[in-house]
Amino acid sequence: MSKILDAFLNENLEALRDQGLYNEIDAVEGANGPMIQVNGKQLINLSSNNYLGLATNEELKQVAKKAIDKYGVGAGAVRTINGTMDLHVLLEEKLAEFKGTESAISYQSGFNCNMAAISAVMDKNDAILSDQLNHASIIDGCRLSKAKIIAYNHSDMDDLRAKAKEAKESGLYNKIMVITDGVFSMDGDIAKLPEIVEIAKEFDLITYVDDAHGSGVTGKGKGTVKHFGLEKEIDFQIGTLSKAIGVVGGYVAGKKNLIDWLKVRSRPFLFSTAVTPGDVAAITRALQMIMDSTELHDKLWENGDYLKAGLKKLGFNIGASETPITPCIIGDEKLTQQFSKRLVEEGVYAKAIVFPTVPKGTGRVRNMPTAAHTKEMLDNALAIYEKVGRELGVI
């Protein structure tokens, strides 16, 4: 290894460890369900984005197996050569139905969606109004586009309106886009989409919502745009297929001409092999299950409300979450890491979230209750939280 590279890596890794910012990655020994095994120990899992428990659903496993038997384990090529199977077409039709749009396109990940879609439409002659707490993939997608990035204060509609007005009246930009997460994953709050749409109409802004943590969770499962009844007002609906949907991949949903454009100009679609047949089949079935019944959605919210109430009663700072995402905000990074470590030792797998994922001084343990958790699991988790919280002086 280069001496310069070796010195750079060692120095900076050590600095991260000293600051409590180095994240140890654990291997889960088996399925990622409400209970997981790590280092031979059974733990209550509160770190998964598997909101509806579909990642381990038996019906979806059988659907995936049948698709593998018929289509093989891979698509074999990029979509524009011969990697588009009838399975992919059916999935995209189902995604459009699910999101209430004319059309949809699927990608290999939610991160790829933001890298693909933003840079395919926006360029150096444009501007993007971006919520300060938007996901890293949105930030990177904006950077890749080379558009002027104008950050507005988190969910501050006065700030958004002022900056939209200034950008519009400057005459400097051909197009202006406003981008927001639908549900903010670190705090669990929901974007003010009605107000954003109002401002977008006033200043002729393109609207873009990344609903990675809303699809399957809000709007009776249809997502945050559906929650507010704004399907016809949002230009881009983005989401992942790896969280509530339980598999892997991402999508963009919108008008047909938008999707047609992305199929010929978005680079991850053009230059990367399609999602595998087994995954596509499982996703399609999962979407239909969510559309057919709200049972899993309702159970998720019941469990989320139950855990929130329990943690709040114990005295933890759970922020202002409006969704099942339940942060326990500790503050100090080292204490947050210590808190998470002790939870694991006692039987709860809840990972520390620290800078750069959240601002310095706002370290937290983020809890993700799912539809698959039982009340007994949640009660056990709350008892452990109380023990560790009192031990470390958090409560």
Side-chain angles (χ1 to χ4, degrees):
M1 178 183 282
S2 158
K3 290 181 179 179
I4 292 176
L5 175 60
D6 194 42
F8 166 81
L9 295 174
N10 289 336
E11 179 182 342
N12 285 283
L13 284 169
E14 188 61 33
L16 290 177
R17 292 187 180 98
D18 287 344
Q19 298 169 55
L21 302 179
Y22 184 81
N23 186 33
E24 298 285 349
I25 299 175
D26 301 309
V28 177
E29 299 155 355
N32 198 329
M35 299 290 297
I36 55 172
Q37 182 170 301
V38 177
N39 296 322
K41 184 176 181 179
Q42 284 289 312
L43 303 167
I44 301 165
N45 182 16
L46 289 176
S47 283
S48 172
N49 292 320
N50 181 25
Y51 291 115
L52 302 180
L54 292 176
T56 55
N57 181 272
E58 288 300 324
E59 182 180 349
L60 298 189
K61 287 194 281 185
Q62 293 305 314
V63 166
K65 289 174 184 176
K66 288 179 181 177
I68 290 171
D69 287 341
K70 180 176 179 179
Y71 293 92
V73 295
V78 296
R79 294 283 301 273
T80 53
I81 297 177
N82 75 341
T84 294
M85 297 174 167
D86 57 0
L87 277 175
H88 295 99
V89 176
L90 290 171
L91 168 60
E92 288 164 346
E93 290 174 351
K94 186 60 65 179
L95 282 166
E97 181 186 356
F98 179 61
K99 302 307 290 186
T101 60
E102 290 180 1
S103 192
I105 181 173
S106 61
Y107 290 92
Q108 302 84 355
S109 71
F111 204 112
N112 268 0
C113 289
N114 286 324
M115 301 296 283
I118 300 170
S119 61
V121 172
M122 307 300 284
D123 61 32
K124 64 182 181 180
N125 299 308
D126 302 323
I128 299 172
L129 297 157
S130 180
D131 189 290
Q132 281 189 336
L133 294 189
N134 276 341
H135 189 265
S137 61
I138 295 176
I139 295 169
D140 286 357
C142 292
R143 289 171 175 167
L144 183 64
S145 76
K146 298 183 180 178
K148 172 70 174 179
I149 302 169
I150 304 169
Y152 64 90
N153 297 332
H154 175 54
S155 285
D156 184 335
M157 296 299 98
D158 290 337
D159 193 43
L160 173 59
R161 177 174 273 103
K163 287 174 176 173
K165 184 176 188 292
E166 182 180 359
K168 184 70 174 180
E169 292 180 352
S170 73
L172 295 173
Y173 311 111
N174 293 338
K175 301 186 296 295
I176 306 173
M177 175 184 282
V178 56
I179 296 184
T180 182
D181 276 306
V183 172
F184 292 90
S185 62
M186 292 300 112
D187 293 294
D189 54 321
I190 298 174
K192 297 174 181 176
L193 294 189
E195 292 94 331
I196 289 172
V197 166
E198 179 184 323
I199 294 168
K201 287 181 177 179
E202 184 178 350
F203 298 104
D204 194 23
L205 311 179
I206 298 167
T207 50
Y208 187 113
V209 177
D210 182 338
D211 212 25
H213 288 269
S215 293
V217 176
T218 55
K220 291 295 182 182
K222 299 289 187 66
T224 308
V225 174
K226 176 66 175 179
H227 171 72
F228 290 110
L230 296 172
E231 298 95 321
K232 298 188 183 303
E233 307 294 343
I234 301 297
D235 297 310
F236 289 77
Q237 290 193 58
I238 314 299
T240 64
L241 300 165
S242 57
K243 294 180 174 63
I245 312 303
V247 193
V248 71
Y251 63 86
V252 180
K255 291 187 70 67
K256 184 179 184 300
N257 59 359
L258 170 63
I259 305 308
D260 288 346
W261 177 255
L262 294 179
K263 286 180 178 177
V264 297
R265 280 294 180 267
S266 60
R267 294 171 74 83
F269 181 86
L270 294 170
F271 300 111
S272 191
T273 301
V275 177
T276 63
D279 290 329
V280 172
I283 293 164
T284 306
R285 181 60 191 140
L287 291 170
Q288 190 62 58
M289 290 169 66
I290 295 169
M291 293 165 69
D292 287 344
S293 171
T294 65
E295 180 181 355
L296 294 175
H297 164 275
D298 296 345
K299 183 63 176 176
L300 164 66
W301 280 83
E302 180 185 330
N303 283 344
D305 290 343
Y306 187 82
L307 183 64
K308 272 185 186 175
L311 289 170
K312 188 174 183 179
K313 185 177 179 180
L314 289 172
F316 286 98
N317 176 7
I318 62 170
S321 173
E322 301 171 82
T323 63
I325 296 170
T326 307
C328 278
I329 302 169
I330 309 298
D332 179 77
E333 284 76 16
K334 286 188 176 181
L335 179 59
T336 303
Q337 295 281 15
Q338 185 182 6
F339 187 80
S340 172
K341 183 179 179 181
R342 284 291 295 122
L343 288 176
V344 172
E345 290 170 352
E346 292 294 329
V348 172
Y349 195 81
K351 294 291 284 184
I353 308 292
V354 296
F355 181 83
T357 306
V358 294
K360 284 187 177 180
T362 67
R364 80 241 357 235
V365 172
R366 185 181 59 166
N367 300 282
M368 314 288 271
T370 74
H373 284 101
T374 65
K375 285 295 191 301
E376 182 182 6
M377 293 175 190
L378 297 178
D379 284 338
N380 290 339
L382 288 168
I384 292 169
Y385 258 94
E386 181 176 17
K387 177 181 179 180
V388 175
R390 297 196 186 286
E391 172 190 313
L392 297 180
V394 175
I395 55 171

Short mmCIF file of all heavy atoms in Angstrom, two decimals, residues 135-186:
data_model
loop_
_atom_site.label_atom_id
_atom_site.label_comp_id
_atom_site.label_asym_id
_atom_site.label_seq_id
_atom_site.Cartn_x
_atom_site.Cartn_y
_atom_site.Cartn_z
N HIS A 135 -31.71 13.27 2.79
CA HIS A 135 -30.84 12.10 2.82
C HIS A 135 -29.57 12.32 2.00
O HIS A 135 -29.56 13.09 1.03
CB HIS A 135 -31.61 10.89 2.27
CG HIS A 135 -30.90 9.59 2.45
ND1 HIS A 135 -30.11 9.04 1.46
CD2 HIS A 135 -30.85 8.73 3.49
CE1 HIS A 135 -29.61 7.89 1.88
NE2 HIS A 135 -30.05 7.69 3.12
N ALA A 136 -28.51 11.62 2.38
CA ALA A 136 -27.22 11.76 1.69
C ALA A 136 -27.32 11.48 0.20
O ALA A 136 -26.61 12.11 -0.61
CB ALA A 136 -26.20 10.81 2.33
N SER A 137 -28.18 10.56 -0.20
CA SER A 137 -28.31 10.24 -1.63
C SER A 137 -28.90 11.41 -2.42
O SER A 137 -28.56 11.63 -3.59
CB SER A 137 -29.16 8.99 -1.84
OG SER A 137 -30.47 9.16 -1.33
N ILE A 138 -29.77 12.18 -1.78
CA ILE A 138 -30.31 13.38 -2.42
C ILE A 138 -29.19 14.41 -2.58
O ILE A 138 -29.02 15.01 -3.65
CB ILE A 138 -31.46 13.99 -1.59
CG1 ILE A 138 -32.65 13.03 -1.55
CG2 ILE A 138 -31.88 15.34 -2.15
CD1 ILE A 138 -33.79 13.51 -0.66
N ILE A 139 -28.42 14.60 -1.53
CA ILE A 139 -27.31 15.55 -1.58
C ILE A 139 -26.33 15.18 -2.69
O ILE A 139 -25.91 16.03 -3.49
CB ILE A 139 -26.60 15.60 -0.22
CG1 ILE A 139 -27.55 16.16 0.86
CG2 ILE A 139 -25.33 16.45 -0.29
CD1 ILE A 139 -27.05 16.00 2.28
N ASP A 140 -25.98 13.89 -2.77
CA ASP A 140 -25.04 13.46 -3.80
C ASP A 140 -25.63 13.58 -5.20
O ASP A 140 -24.93 13.94 -6.16
CB ASP A 140 -24.61 12.01 -3.54
CG ASP A 140 -23.65 11.90 -2.37
OD1 ASP A 140 -23.27 12.96 -1.81
OD2 ASP A 140 -23.27 10.78 -2.01
N GLY A 141 -26.93 13.30 -5.34
CA GLY A 141 -27.59 13.46 -6.63
C GLY A 141 -27.60 14.91 -7.08
O GLY A 141 -27.39 15.22 -8.26
N CYS A 142 -27.83 15.81 -6.12
CA CYS A 142 -27.80 17.25 -6.43
C CYS A 142 -26.40 17.67 -6.87
O CYS A 142 -26.24 18.42 -7.84
CB CYS A 142 -28.23 18.06 -5.22
SG CYS A 142 -29.97 17.88 -4.76
N ARG A 143 -25.39 17.20 -6.16
CA ARG A 143 -24.01 17.55 -6.51
C ARG A 143 -23.66 17.06 -7.91
O ARG A 143 -23.02 17.76 -8.69
CB ARG A 143 -23.05 16.96 -5.48
CG ARG A 143 -23.09 17.64 -4.12
CD ARG A 143 -22.27 16.87 -3.10
NE ARG A 143 -22.19 17.55 -1.81
CZ ARG A 143 -21.77 16.98 -0.69
NH1 ARG A 143 -21.38 15.70 -0.70
NH2 ARG A 143 -21.72 17.66 0.43
N LEU A 144 -24.08 15.83 -8.21
CA LEU A 144 -23.78 15.24 -9.51
C LEU A 144 -24.40 16.05 -10.65
O LEU A 144 -23.82 16.15 -11.74
CB LEU A 144 -24.28 13.80 -9.56
CG LEU A 144 -23.98 13.00 -10.82
CD1 LEU A 144 -22.47 12.82 -11.01
CD2 LEU A 144 -24.66 11.63 -10.75
N SER A 145 -25.55 16.64 -10.40
CA SER A 145 -26.24 17.40 -11.45
C SER A 145 -25.51 18.69 -11.81
O SER A 145 -25.72 19.25 -12.90
CB SER A 145 -27.66 17.74 -11.00
OG SER A 145 -27.65 18.80 -10.05
N LYS A 146 -24.68 19.20 -10.88
CA LYS A 146 -23.96 20.47 -11.03
C LYS A 146 -24.87 21.70 -10.97
O LYS A 146 -24.46 22.82 -11.26
CB LYS A 146 -23.11 20.48 -12.31
CG LYS A 146 -22.04 19.41 -12.32
CD LYS A 146 -21.17 19.47 -13.56
CE LYS A 146 -20.12 18.37 -13.53
NZ LYS A 146 -19.27 18.36 -14.75
N ALA A 147 -26.12 21.47 -10.59
CA ALA A 147 -27.03 22.60 -10.39
C ALA A 147 -26.62 23.37 -9.14
O ALA A 147 -25.92 22.84 -8.26
CB ALA A 147 -28.46 22.10 -10.26
N LYS A 148 -27.05 24.62 -9.04
CA LYS A 148 -26.82 25.42 -7.85
C LYS A 148 -27.69 24.86 -6.72
O LYS A 148 -28.92 24.75 -6.86
CB LYS A 148 -27.20 26.88 -8.12
CG LYS A 148 -27.20 27.78 -6.89
CD LYS A 148 -25.81 28.03 -6.37
CE LYS A 148 -25.82 29.06 -5.24
NZ LYS A 148 -24.46 29.30 -4.70
N ILE A 149 -27.06 24.47 -5.61
CA ILE A 149 -27.80 23.90 -4.49
C ILE A 149 -28.08 25.00 -3.47
O ILE A 149 -27.16 25.64 -2.96
CB ILE A 149 -27.02 22.75 -3.84
CG1 ILE A 149 -26.73 21.65 -4.87
CG2 ILE A 149 -27.81 22.18 -2.65
CD1 ILE A 149 -25.75 20.60 -4.38
N ILE A 150 -29.35 25.22 -3.17
CA ILE A 150 -29.77 26.22 -2.20
C ILE A 150 -30.48 25.50 -1.06
O ILE A 150 -31.62 25.04 -1.22
CB ILE A 150 -30.71 27.26 -2.84
CG1 ILE A 150 -30.03 27.92 -4.06
CG2 ILE A 150 -31.12 28.32 -1.81
CD1 ILE A 150 -30.97 28.76 -4.90
N ALA A 151 -29.80 25.35 0.07
CA ALA A 151 -30.40 24.63 1.20
C ALA A 151 -31.35 25.56 1.95
O ALA A 151 -31.05 26.73 2.18
CB ALA A 151 -29.31 24.13 2.13
N TYR A 152 -32.51 25.02 2.31
CA TYR A 152 -33.43 25.78 3.16
C TYR A 152 -33.56 25.10 4.51
O TYR A 152 -33.37 23.88 4.64
CB TYR A 152 -34.80 25.98 2.49
CG TYR A 152 -35.61 24.72 2.23
CD1 TYR A 152 -36.51 24.22 3.18
CD2 TYR A 152 -35.51 24.04 1.02
CE1 TYR A 152 -37.28 23.10 2.93
CE2 TYR A 152 -36.27 22.91 0.76
CZ TYR A 152 -37.14 22.44 1.72
OH TYR A 152 -37.90 21.31 1.46
N ASN A 153 -33.84 25.88 5.53
CA ASN A 153 -33.94 25.35 6.90
C ASN A 153 -34.98 24.24 6.95
O ASN A 153 -36.03 24.32 6.31
CB ASN A 153 -34.30 26.45 7.89
CG ASN A 153 -33.21 27.52 7.96
OD1 ASN A 153 -32.04 27.26 7.72
ND2 ASN A 153 -33.61 28.74 8.29
N HIS A 154 -34.69 23.24 7.76
CA HIS A 154 -35.52 22.03 7.79
C HIS A 154 -36.99 22.35 8.03
O HIS A 154 -37.36 22.93 9.06
CB HIS A 154 -35.02 21.08 8.87
CG HIS A 154 -35.89 19.88 9.05
ND1 HIS A 154 -36.23 19.04 8.01
CD2 HIS A 154 -36.51 19.38 10.15
CE1 HIS A 154 -37.01 18.08 8.46
NE2 HIS A 154 -37.20 18.27 9.76
N SER A 155 -37.83 21.98 7.04
CA SER A 155 -39.28 22.13 7.11
C SER A 155 -39.73 23.56 7.44
O SER A 155 -40.82 23.76 7.98
CB SER A 155 -39.89 21.13 8.12
OG SER A 155 -39.91 19.84 7.57
N ASP A 156 -38.87 24.54 7.12
CA ASP A 156 -39.18 25.94 7.37
C ASP A 156 -39.77 26.53 6.09
O ASP A 156 -39.05 26.87 5.16
CB ASP A 156 -37.90 26.68 7.78
CG ASP A 156 -38.15 28.14 8.16
OD1 ASP A 156 -39.15 28.71 7.70
OD2 ASP A 156 -37.32 28.69 8.91
N MET A 157 -41.08 26.64 6.04
CA MET A 157 -41.74 27.07 4.82
C MET A 157 -41.53 28.55 4.52
O MET A 157 -41.52 28.95 3.35
CB MET A 157 -43.23 26.75 4.90
CG MET A 157 -43.53 25.24 4.97
SD MET A 157 -42.96 24.30 3.52
CE MET A 157 -41.37 23.62 4.11
N ASP A 158 -41.32 29.37 5.54
CA ASP A 158 -41.00 30.77 5.30
C ASP A 158 -39.65 30.89 4.61
O ASP A 158 -39.48 31.70 3.68
CB ASP A 158 -40.99 31.56 6.62
CG ASP A 158 -42.39 31.72 7.21
OD1 ASP A 158 -43.37 31.64 6.45
OD2 ASP A 158 -42.48 31.91 8.44
N ASP A 159 -38.69 30.10 5.07
CA ASP A 159 -37.36 30.12 4.46
C ASP A 159 -37.40 29.59 3.03
O ASP A 159 -36.76 30.14 2.13
CB ASP A 159 -36.39 29.30 5.31
CG ASP A 159 -34.94 29.52 4.92
OD1 ASP A 159 -34.57 30.69 4.69
OD2 ASP A 159 -34.19 28.54 4.82
N LEU A 160 -38.17 28.51 2.82
CA LEU A 160 -38.30 27.97 1.48
C LEU A 160 -38.92 29.00 0.54
O LEU A 160 -38.43 29.22 -0.58
CB LEU A 160 -39.16 26.69 1.50
CG LEU A 160 -39.50 26.12 0.11
CD1 LEU A 160 -38.25 25.78 -0.68
CD2 LEU A 160 -40.40 24.88 0.25
N ARG A 161 -39.99 29.65 0.97
CA ARG A 161 -40.65 30.64 0.11
C ARG A 161 -39.71 31.79 -0.23
O ARG A 161 -39.64 32.23 -1.38
CB ARG A 161 -41.92 31.17 0.79
CG ARG A 161 -42.61 32.27 -0.01
CD ARG A 161 -43.94 32.71 0.56
NE ARG A 161 -45.03 31.87 0.06
CZ ARG A 161 -45.61 30.90 0.73
NH1 ARG A 161 -45.24 30.64 1.97
NH2 ARG A 161 -46.59 30.19 0.20
N ALA A 162 -38.97 32.28 0.77
CA ALA A 162 -38.05 33.39 0.54
C ALA A 162 -36.96 33.01 -0.46
O ALA A 162 -36.62 33.79 -1.37
CB ALA A 162 -37.43 33.84 1.86
N LYS A 163 -36.42 31.80 -0.31
CA LYS A 163 -35.34 31.38 -1.20
C LYS A 163 -35.86 31.03 -2.59
O LYS A 163 -35.16 31.23 -3.59
CB LYS A 163 -34.58 30.22 -0.56
CG LYS A 163 -33.72 30.71 0.60
CD LYS A 163 -33.04 29.61 1.38
CE LYS A 163 -32.13 30.23 2.45
NZ LYS A 163 -31.56 29.22 3.37
N ALA A 164 -37.09 30.51 -2.67
CA ALA A 164 -37.70 30.24 -3.97
C ALA A 164 -37.94 31.56 -4.71
O ALA A 164 -37.68 31.67 -5.92
CB ALA A 164 -39.01 29.49 -3.79
N LYS A 165 -38.43 32.56 -3.98
CA LYS A 165 -38.69 33.88 -4.57
C LYS A 165 -37.39 34.50 -5.08
O LYS A 165 -37.33 35.02 -6.21
CB LYS A 165 -39.34 34.78 -3.52
CG LYS A 165 -39.76 36.16 -4.02
CD LYS A 165 -40.48 36.92 -2.91
CE LYS A 165 -41.09 38.23 -3.42
NZ LYS A 165 -40.05 39.21 -3.81
N GLU A 166 -36.36 34.43 -4.26
CA GLU A 166 -35.07 35.01 -4.65
C GLU A 166 -34.50 34.31 -5.89
O GLU A 166 -34.01 34.97 -6.81
CB GLU A 166 -34.09 34.90 -3.48
CG GLU A 166 -32.73 35.53 -3.77
CD GLU A 166 -31.77 35.41 -2.60
OE1 GLU A 166 -32.16 34.85 -1.55
OE2 GLU A 166 -30.62 35.85 -2.74
N ALA A 167 -34.57 32.98 -5.89
CA ALA A 167 -34.04 32.22 -7.03
C ALA A 167 -34.81 32.53 -8.31
O ALA A 167 -34.22 32.70 -9.39
CB ALA A 167 -34.08 30.73 -6.72
N LYS A 168 -36.13 32.59 -8.18
CA LYS A 168 -36.97 32.84 -9.36
C LYS A 168 -36.73 34.25 -9.90
O LYS A 168 -36.57 34.44 -11.12
CB LYS A 168 -38.44 32.66 -8.97
CG LYS A 168 -39.41 32.80 -10.13
CD LYS A 168 -39.29 31.63 -11.10
CE LYS A 168 -40.36 31.70 -12.19
NZ LYS A 168 -40.25 30.56 -13.12
N GLU A 169 -36.71 35.22 -9.02
CA GLU A 169 -36.58 36.61 -9.46
C GLU A 169 -35.18 36.96 -9.94
O GLU A 169 -34.99 37.97 -10.64
CB GLU A 169 -37.01 37.54 -8.33
CG GLU A 169 -38.51 37.46 -8.02
CD GLU A 169 -38.93 38.37 -6.89
OE1 GLU A 169 -38.04 38.97 -6.23
OE2 GLU A 169 -40.16 38.50 -6.66
N SER A 170 -34.19 36.13 -9.60
CA SER A 170 -32.82 36.39 -10.03
C SER A 170 -32.66 36.24 -11.54
O SER A 170 -31.78 36.86 -12.15
CB SER A 170 -31.85 35.45 -9.33
OG SER A 170 -31.97 34.12 -9.86
N GLY A 171 -33.51 35.38 -12.13
CA GLY A 171 -33.41 35.14 -13.56
C GLY A 171 -32.18 34.34 -13.96
O GLY A 171 -31.86 34.23 -15.16
N LEU A 172 -31.50 33.75 -13.01
CA LEU A 172 -30.25 33.04 -13.29
C LEU A 172 -30.45 31.59 -13.72
O LEU A 172 -29.51 30.99 -14.26
CB LEU A 172 -29.37 33.07 -12.03
CG LEU A 172 -28.86 34.44 -11.56
CD1 LEU A 172 -28.15 34.29 -10.22
CD2 LEU A 172 -27.94 35.03 -12.61
N TYR A 173 -31.64 31.06 -13.49
CA TYR A 173 -31.80 29.61 -13.65
C TYR A 173 -32.90 29.27 -14.65
O TYR A 173 -33.96 29.89 -14.67
CB TYR A 173 -32.13 28.97 -12.29
CG TYR A 173 -31.19 29.43 -11.20
CD1 TYR A 173 -31.64 30.26 -10.15
CD2 TYR A 173 -29.85 29.07 -11.22
CE1 TYR A 173 -30.78 30.69 -9.16
CE2 TYR A 173 -28.98 29.50 -10.22
CZ TYR A 173 -29.45 30.32 -9.20
OH TYR A 173 -28.59 30.75 -8.23
N ASN A 174 -32.60 28.25 -15.47
CA ASN A 174 -33.60 27.77 -16.43
C ASN A 174 -34.73 27.03 -15.72
O ASN A 174 -35.91 27.19 -16.08
CB ASN A 174 -32.96 26.86 -17.46
CG ASN A 174 -31.99 27.59 -18.37
OD1 ASN A 174 -32.07 28.81 -18.53
ND2 ASN A 174 -31.06 26.86 -18.96
N LYS A 175 -34.37 26.19 -14.77
CA LYS A 175 -35.34 25.40 -14.02
C LYS A 175 -34.98 25.46 -12.54
O LYS A 175 -33.80 25.51 -12.19
CB LYS A 175 -35.33 23.92 -14.48
CG LYS A 175 -35.64 23.70 -15.94
CD LYS A 175 -35.76 22.21 -16.27
CE LYS A 175 -34.48 21.40 -16.09
NZ LYS A 175 -33.39 21.79 -17.01
N ILE A 176 -35.99 25.42 -11.69
CA ILE A 176 -35.77 25.36 -10.24
C ILE A 176 -36.58 24.19 -9.68
O ILE A 176 -37.76 24.06 -9.97
CB ILE A 176 -36.19 26.67 -9.54
CG1 ILE A 176 -35.49 27.87 -10.18
CG2 ILE A 176 -35.87 26.59 -8.05
CD1 ILE A 176 -35.99 29.21 -9.66
N MET A 177 -35.92 23.37 -8.91
CA MET A 177 -36.55 22.18 -8.31
C MET A 177 -36.53 22.30 -6.79
O MET A 177 -35.57 22.82 -6.22
CB MET A 177 -35.79 20.92 -8.74
CG MET A 177 -36.25 19.62 -8.10
SD MET A 177 -35.22 18.20 -8.60
CE MET A 177 -35.85 17.86 -10.24
N VAL A 178 -37.58 21.83 -6.14
CA VAL A 178 -37.59 21.71 -4.68
C VAL A 178 -37.61 20.22 -4.34
O VAL A 178 -38.44 19.47 -4.86
CB VAL A 178 -38.77 22.46 -4.02
CG1 VAL A 178 -40.11 22.02 -4.56
CG2 VAL A 178 -38.72 22.29 -2.50
N ILE A 179 -36.67 19.82 -3.49
CA ILE A 179 -36.51 18.40 -3.13
C ILE A 179 -36.65 18.23 -1.62
O ILE A 179 -36.06 18.98 -0.84
CB ILE A 179 -35.13 17.86 -3.55
CG1 ILE A 179 -34.98 17.90 -5.07
CG2 ILE A 179 -34.92 16.44 -3.05
CD1 ILE A 179 -33.69 17.29 -5.58
N THR A 180 -37.42 17.22 -1.24
CA THR A 180 -37.55 16.90 0.18
C THR A 180 -37.75 15.40 0.38
O THR A 180 -38.28 14.71 -0.49
CB THR A 180 -38.74 17.64 0.81
OG1 THR A 180 -38.81 17.35 2.22
CG2 THR A 180 -40.06 17.24 0.16
N ASP A 181 -37.29 14.91 1.52
CA ASP A 181 -37.71 13.58 1.96
C ASP A 181 -39.20 13.66 2.30
O ASP A 181 -39.69 14.72 2.73
CB ASP A 181 -36.95 13.15 3.21
CG ASP A 181 -35.60 12.53 2.89
OD1 ASP A 181 -35.56 11.59 2.10
OD2 ASP A 181 -34.59 13.01 3.44
N GLY A 182 -39.93 12.56 2.12
CA GLY A 182 -41.32 12.50 2.56
C GLY A 182 -41.38 12.32 4.06
O GLY A 182 -42.10 13.03 4.77
N VAL A 183 -40.60 11.34 4.56
CA VAL A 183 -40.42 11.10 5.99
C VAL A 183 -38.93 11.21 6.27
O VAL A 183 -38.12 10.57 5.58
CB VAL A 183 -40.94 9.72 6.41
CG1 VAL A 183 -40.56 9.42 7.86
CG2 VAL A 183 -42.45 9.63 6.23
N PHE A 184 -38.55 12.01 7.24
CA PHE A 184 -37.13 12.18 7.57
C PHE A 184 -36.71 11.06 8.52
O PHE A 184 -37.25 10.91 9.61
CB PHE A 184 -36.90 13.57 8.15
CG PHE A 184 -37.10 14.67 7.14
CD1 PHE A 184 -38.36 15.24 6.97
CD2 PHE A 184 -36.06 15.08 6.34
CE1 PHE A 184 -38.56 16.22 6.01
CE2 PHE A 184 -36.25 16.07 5.38
CZ PHE A 184 -37.50 16.64 5.21
N SER A 185 -35.72 10.29 8.06
CA SER A 185 -35.42 9.00 8.69
C SER A 185 -34.78 9.11 10.07
O SER A 185 -34.83 8.15 10.84
CB SER A 185 -34.51 8.18 7.78
OG SER A 185 -33.27 8.83 7.57
N MET A 186 -34.15 10.22 10.40
CA MET A 186 -33.48 10.33 11.69
C MET A 186 -34.39 10.81 12.81
O MET A 186 -34.19 10.52 13.97
CB MET A 186 -32.27 11.25 11.58
CG MET A 186 -31.14 10.70 10.74
SD MET A 186 -30.49 9.13 11.38
CE MET A 186 -31.01 8.01 10.09
#
